[in-house]
């Protein structure tokens, strides 16, 4: 009988717990400065497309393109309106919001 390693079993349980959100699934997010946002999952195919299109010809991730995609398809103000770079220049919290949006969209972390 094959012995299952406990680490692999725990990794599997963790993976099952952190499965990717489904298309349209939403999550509320509040920054340390009390700004409120809604993340809406674009779906698996769109998430993969966003990640692929944000890479240059050498396969290196380009932050600006990824952040633009997140602001277009994932991150919204609490009232449902879209955000942009100018919004974050005014209210701050860009890195905090984008980190949380990446984790939500790609289930990282």
């Amino acid at each position: 009988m094959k012995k299952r390693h406990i680490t692999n079993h725990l990794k599997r349980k963790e993976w099952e717990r952190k499965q990717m959100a489904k298309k349209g699934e939403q999550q509320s997010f509040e920054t340390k400065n009390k700004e409120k946002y809604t993340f809406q999952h674009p779906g698996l195919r769109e998430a993969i497309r966003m990640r692929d299109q944000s890479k240059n010809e050498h396969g290196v991730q380009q932050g600006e393109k990824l952040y633009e995609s997140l602001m277009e398809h994932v991150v919204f103000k609490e009232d449902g309106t879209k955000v942009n770079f100018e919004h974050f220049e005014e209210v701050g919290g860009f890195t905090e919001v984008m980190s949380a949006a990446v984790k939500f969209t790609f289930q990282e972390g």
Side-chain angles (χ1 to χ4, degrees):
M1 183 154 93
K2 201 173 194 181
K3 209 175 196 185
R4 289 175 46 184
H5 194 277
I6 188 71
T7 304
N8 291 338
H9 180 70
L10 292 174
K11 285 180 184 177
R12 174 73 180 170
K13 288 290 184 192
E14 181 68 11
W15 178 83
E16 288 171 353
R17 187 179 70 77
K18 287 186 164 185
Q19 286 186 1
M20 182 174 277
K22 293 181 175 33
K23 184 175 183 173
E25 189 172 322
Q26 294 184 344
Q27 174 182 317
S28 297
F29 181 76
E30 186 173 339
T31 65
K32 294 174 187 170
N33 294 334
K34 304 297 183 205
E35 291 289 325
K36 295 181 181 180
Y37 299 91
T38 299
F39 299 155
Q40 181 169 312
H41 201 279
L44 178 60
R45 181 171 286 171
E46 183 65 21
I48 292 168
R49 187 191 67 74
M50 288 168 50
R51 180 169 272 169
D52 288 348
Q53 288 185 345
S54 68
K55 293 180 181 178
N56 67 16
E57 63 275 2
H58 304 290
V60 176
Q61 191 85 43
Q62 296 178 317
E64 182 181 359
K65 286 184 178 183
L66 179 61
Y67 297 142
E68 284 176 344
S69 291
L70 288 169
M71 289 185 280
E72 176 69 23
H73 301 287
V74 178
V75 180
F76 301 90
K77 291 188 220 175
E78 187 179 36
D79 66 6
T81 58
K82 292 186 178 185
V83 297
N84 54 30
F85 287 107
E86 290 78 22
H87 166 77
F88 288 106
E89 287 176 356
E90 291 175 15
V91 301
F94 177 79
T95 303
E96 183 181 3
V97 172
M98 290 299 126
S99 292
V102 165
K103 286 179 183 178
F104 172 74
T105 306
F106 304 108
Q107 294 300 303
E108 296 178 348

